[in-house]
Amino acid sequence: MTKSWLLAGAMLACAGTPALAADRVSAPSQLTLKRVFGSPDLSGAQPQSLKLSPDGTLLTSLRPRADEKQRFDLWALDTRTGQERMLIDSKKVGSGAELSEAEKMQRERDRSISGKTGIVSYEWSPDGKTILVPIDGDLYLAGLDGTVTRLTQNVGGALNPKISPGGGFVSYVRDQNLVVQPLGGAPRTVTDDGRETVHWGEAEFVAQEEMDRRTGYWWSPGDRMIAVERFDEAPVGIATRAAIGAEGTKTYDQRYPAAGKPNVLVDLYVMKPDGTGRVKVDLGSERDIYLARVDWAPDGKALLVQRQNRSQTVLDMLKVDPATGRSTILFTEKARRNSWVNLTDAYRLLDDGSLIWSSERDGYAHLYRLSGAKWTQLTKGAWVVNDLAGVDQAKGRIFFTGNKDGVLEKHLYSVDIAHPNVVTRLTEPGWWNGATMDGAATRMIVSRSNPDQPTQVYLADAAGKRLSWVNQNALVAGHPYFSFVTHHQSTKFGTLKAADGSTLYWEMITPPLEPGKRYPVFFEHYGGPHSQTVSRNWGSPLHQYLVSRGYIVFMIDNRGSANRGVAFESQLYRAAGAVEVEDQLLGAKWLKQQPFVAPDKIVTYGWSYGGYMTLKMLEAAPGTFAAGVAGAPVTKWELYDTHYTERYMGDPKKDAAAYAASSALIDAPKISDPLLLIHGMSDDNVFFENSTALAARLQAAATPFEMMFYPGFTHRVSGPQVGEHLWTAILDFYDRRLEK
């Protein structure tokens, strides 16, 4: 489970949080489930994948259609005039062909595009004259005048498409081999043994699902060479997965690397664009490793490869000679005792040969500069750096996002290499910000939101001064949410102390409280690592819908959640289902003590890791909740994948006691509160077997529960119609329990 899937509890709630019941007749200014799932999006039409053209004159983005919020088209905004236009209409370009199974699975792994249609990605050519656009499994080259040229006629699709850095080639993966096509020329397959279990140029399952690595090949500057991953999944066990649909069942023999079982065999090669001159990279004598990241030096004379050991306690940065494949260890990151090494994308190779690098070596994620053999810490303190937004190499200035000003907010900051630890905030207080910059870090695209304002996007200079709005998204007449603003309730924040004295942050939205009245609570939880659910950003309109129907909405981030440092996060080490359950129950106990809460009417909900948490909470504290919903839960960690599970739980053969304690199956008969179990019947991430194993365990113990399973749906059960059905089912379940 990547943090994005383990955040699925929160994500699915934001896409459709349970409301109080199936819709009733309501005033026009009151939300309904149908409107929440309808189009246009109540949070406003949010541009995505924003990119500046190489010359900075155009800002391109993918925008949802007003009548179909899951379908995206390509738009361009002229940064000089402010005029915008649609570059490519997704309904006018494309063959309409069904995506290959491989591309469907890649999209499932990439949560940013999962469930979307139309144009879901694109890439500027280096000269800024054209844009590479994948549609319906084929590749198109779009001109700035709106002309579109089809590049491929592929049966089987074109995975991982790229334009080479020099602009001379288009490359992609087809039938498990890498294809390189000169612009204006014929395609050439540059690898030849990709078949059955062998793949070239792709990222293996755990790399996509858990490591945030989407590709398996990397062009060198100047188009001279390509580094290409080759993996063989023959050692990986076969899981026969039944994709149960409404009109039949298909079975797939999916090679799934379950915890404690073999991973794929990974190799890395360097070759010329025509496939000749192939050199194998020395990744070391130990084969059971993870290929975490691959990057070329700016001059193309070296390849930097991040190699992670199986237990994820050591990460080596290898410096590779691309001519010979020989490697040396540039430096090593080692985990603290009872912890692990987190992967990061917050790093940058600079033209002078130095490296900006994010490390948790002092207990918090901070930026360092490696120049020669000398390390310089650029940021420090009891806060974390999230992402690297840009580097102005001419001025020696680093731009990054982090939470220096408080856990609940994320801001853009800058620091000069010449003046370490002198950090300047560039965004306004009271917001949750994200930022990207152009290559020279002269301008930035900032996206921000807070609990009372859906996401806004603006263009700013390097000092953070707003130059123009890209999407002001103001809640004024004409905005989809405008007619509901009158009933919008503000979010309150607070803290509790965990058993060890740690500060836990909570957020709560209440109806206008009437003296003496007690309200039911919708207690939403997540619980797993690599996530933060409590923050000052825009939430789901469905939370407001819940509140309008009389619920209090409550969430708390437990020990183990993200952005709090190594010691805080590592409390989940070998202990899934322990401290996070304890802290969530602390939140429930506190709620029961509040005079405005009906203590016997607290219902709880979670998805994925959150679904697992529902089960563990009901098992640990019967009678605490009036009812619980477990969506797509992991019930036995031995069923989940290697990279995620072993990072926290270790090897099931060596850490059997930890796995037994974390199981949601063993104590399932202790569940005495009403339970609704939900799962997509074609889930290829958290296999449906997790829920059927739980159902069998509960049935064998004569423990009553309810089920709602979704034929044909994977780990993501959402969409305009099915989402409405899902939450109607959940709300009906809650209502029946609260009315007793």
Side-chain angles (χ1 to χ4, degrees), residues 547-600:
V547 170
S548 74
R549 298 302 189 213
Y551 269 124
I552 293 170
V553 176
F554 181 86
M555 293 187 292
I556 185 169
D557 278 335
N558 48 256
R559 283 171 288 173
S561 59
N563 302 323
R564 299 290 302 277
V566 174
F568 190 87
E569 185 178 14
S570 298
Q571 294 199 51
L572 294 184
Y573 183 82
R574 307 295 189 266
V579 295
E580 72 271 44
V581 171
E582 178 183 331
D583 292 349
Q584 293 291 331
L585 292 175
L586 175 68
K589 180 180 179 181
W590 177 83
L591 281 170
K592 289 175 179 287
Q593 296 169 348
Q594 306 312 303
F596 50 84
V597 169
D600 60 342

Side-chain angles (χ1 to χ4, degrees), residues 264-386:
V264 300
L265 295 173
V266 176
D267 292 299
L268 184 66
Y269 292 83
V270 178
M271 63 187 70
K272 294 179 181 179
D274 62 2
T276 63
R278 186 181 300 179
V279 172
K280 187 176 182 179
V281 172
D282 179 10
L283 296 177
S285 59
E286 175 56 59
R287 296 285 286 156
D288 199 6
I289 61 164
Y290 294 109
L291 181 67
R293 301 285 188 271
V294 177
D295 297 275
W296 286 93
D299 60 8
K301 294 180 179 179
L303 193 65
L304 293 192
V305 177
Q306 296 179 42
R307 177 184 67 192
Q308 192 179 42
N309 67 341
R310 175 75 181 249
S311 62
Q312 301 174 63
T313 56
V314 176
L315 183 133
D316 293 317
M317 177 68 84
L318 305 180
K319 184 176 182 180
V320 178
D321 179 352
T324 65
R326 292 176 185 152
S327 65
T328 57
I329 297 177
L330 189 62
F331 63 88
T332 298
E333 293 282 352
K334 294 185 177 180
R336 293 187 169 198
R337 185 175 179 272
N338 295 335
S339 189
W340 56 87
V341 176
N342 285 313
L343 298 179
T344 179
D345 288 316
Y347 64 92
R348 186 74 54 84
L349 289 157
L350 304 186
D351 293 340
D352 63 4
S354 64
L355 172 69
I356 304 300
W357 176 252
S358 176
S359 172
E360 295 180 302
R361 62 187 63 176
D362 76 346
Y364 293 88
H366 281 297
L367 295 179
Y368 296 76
R369 179 176 182 245
L370 175 62
S371 181
K374 181 183 178 182
W375 286 97
T376 301
Q377 187 168 2
L378 301 177
T379 63
K380 66 172 55 175
W383 53 279
V384 303
V385 169
N386 297 113

Side-chain angles (χ1 to χ4, degrees), residues 20-39:
L20 265 180
D23 289 305
R24 305 178 178 89
V25 176
S26 54
S29 59
Q30 297 226 337
L31 287 168
T32 66
L33 277 180
K34 186 174 292 297
R35 179 61 193 91
V36 166
F37 284 100
S39 296

Side-chain angles (χ1 to χ4, degrees), residues 111 119 166 192 194 200 232 237 250 256 267 307 355 369 411 615 666 699 715 739:
R111 312 310 180 211
I119 303 171
D192 57 12
W200 286 91
D232 186 351
K250 295 180 180 179
Y256 187 89
D267 292 299
R307 177 184 67 192
L355 172 69
R369 179 176 182 245
H411 288 285
L615 301 175
I666 295 174
Q699 290 162 353
H715 201 55
E739 289 170 0

Side-chain angles (χ1 to χ4, degrees), residues 29-339:
S29 59
Q30 297 226 337
L31 287 168
T32 66
L33 277 180
K34 186 174 292 297
R35 179 61 193 91
V36 166
F37 284 100
S39 296
D41 194 312
L42 285 173
S43 297
Q46 297 300 332
Q48 299 181 18
S49 300
L50 290 98
K51 300 178 184 180
L52 282 165
S53 62
D55 64 2
T57 60
L58 290 179
L59 175 62
T60 48
S61 64
L62 300 178
R63 297 197 175 187
R65 301 176 78 93
D67 60 342
E68 194 176 348
K69 65 182 181 182
Q70 295 293 82
R71 174 176 283 275
F72 287 76
D73 304 308
L74 180 62
W75 286 73
L77 170 72
D78 191 312
T79 59
R80 300 158 297 184
T81 65
Q83 294 183 336
E84 62 180 359
R85 56 196 168 96
M86 182 188 290
L87 272 182
I88 303 181
D89 184 331
S90 66
K91 288 195 171 182
K92 294 181 179 179
V93 177
S95 64
E98 184 178 358
L99 296 176
S100 67
E101 190 67 20
E103 186 165 357
K104 288 178 183 178
M105 291 302 97
Q106 277 201 358
R107 291 192 179 195
E108 184 72 12
R109 305 278 78 77
D110 188 348
R111 312 310 180 211
S112 65
I113 62 175
S114 179
K116 297 176 181 175
T117 62
I119 303 171
V120 299
S121 65
Y122 67 96
E123 182 180 356
W124 275 96
S125 64
D127 62 8
K129 295 180 180 179
T130 55
I131 302 173
L132 180 66
V133 182
I135 308 178
D136 299 336
D138 275 301
L139 303 181
Y140 298 80
L141 204 60
L144 303 187
D145 59 357
T147 58
V148 180
T149 303
R150 185 170 180 173
L151 296 179
T152 62
Q153 302 281 344
N154 290 328
V155 176
L159 299 176
N160 305 339
K162 298 180 185 181
I163 295 182
S164 61
F169 302 91
V170 170
S171 53
Y172 51 91
V173 174
R174 181 180 61 195
D175 297 330
Q176 299 175 200
N177 283 294
L178 180 64
V179 178
V180 177
Q181 179 174 337
L183 282 179
R188 178 173 181 171
T189 302
V190 299
T191 61
D192 57 12
D193 66 332
R195 64 181 65 89
E196 296 179 349
T197 63
V198 175
H199 298 247
W200 286 91
E202 296 180 52
E204 66 272 27
F205 177 90
V206 294
Q208 295 179 50
E209 181 65 39
E210 311 298 358
M211 298 161 62
D212 288 332
R213 177 166 65 79
R214 308 296 175 194
T215 187
Y217 72 96
W218 302 264
W219 280 94
S220 74
D223 295 1
R224 292 189 302 114
M225 291 178 286
I226 318 173
V228 188
E229 173 187 1
R230 178 188 188 273
F231 71 82
D232 186 351
E233 55 185 358
V236 179
I238 296 176
T240 300
R241 174 173 59 86
I244 303 171
E247 298 179 355
T249 298
K250 295 180 180 179
T251 59
Y252 295 93
D253 286 340
Q254 179 178 344
R255 292 194 180 266
Y256 187 89
K261 304 297 174 124
N263 276 318
V264 300
L265 295 173
V266 176
D267 292 299
L268 184 66
Y269 292 83
V270 178
M271 63 187 70
K272 294 179 181 179
D274 62 2
T276 63
R278 186 181 300 179
V279 172
K280 187 176 182 179
V281 172
D282 179 10
L283 296 177
S285 59
E286 175 56 59
R287 296 285 286 156
D288 199 6
I289 61 164
Y290 294 109
L291 181 67
R293 301 285 188 271
V294 177
D295 297 275
W296 286 93
D299 60 8
K301 294 180 179 179
L303 193 65
L304 293 192
V305 177
Q306 296 179 42
R307 177 184 67 192
Q308 192 179 42
N309 67 341
R310 175 75 181 249
S311 62
Q312 301 174 63
T313 56
V314 176
L315 183 133
D316 293 317
M317 177 68 84
L318 305 180
K319 184 176 182 180
V320 178
D321 179 352
T324 65
R326 292 176 185 152
S327 65
T328 57
I329 297 177
L330 189 62
F331 63 88
T332 298
E333 293 282 352
K334 294 185 177 180
R336 293 187 169 198
R337 185 175 179 272
N338 295 335
S339 189

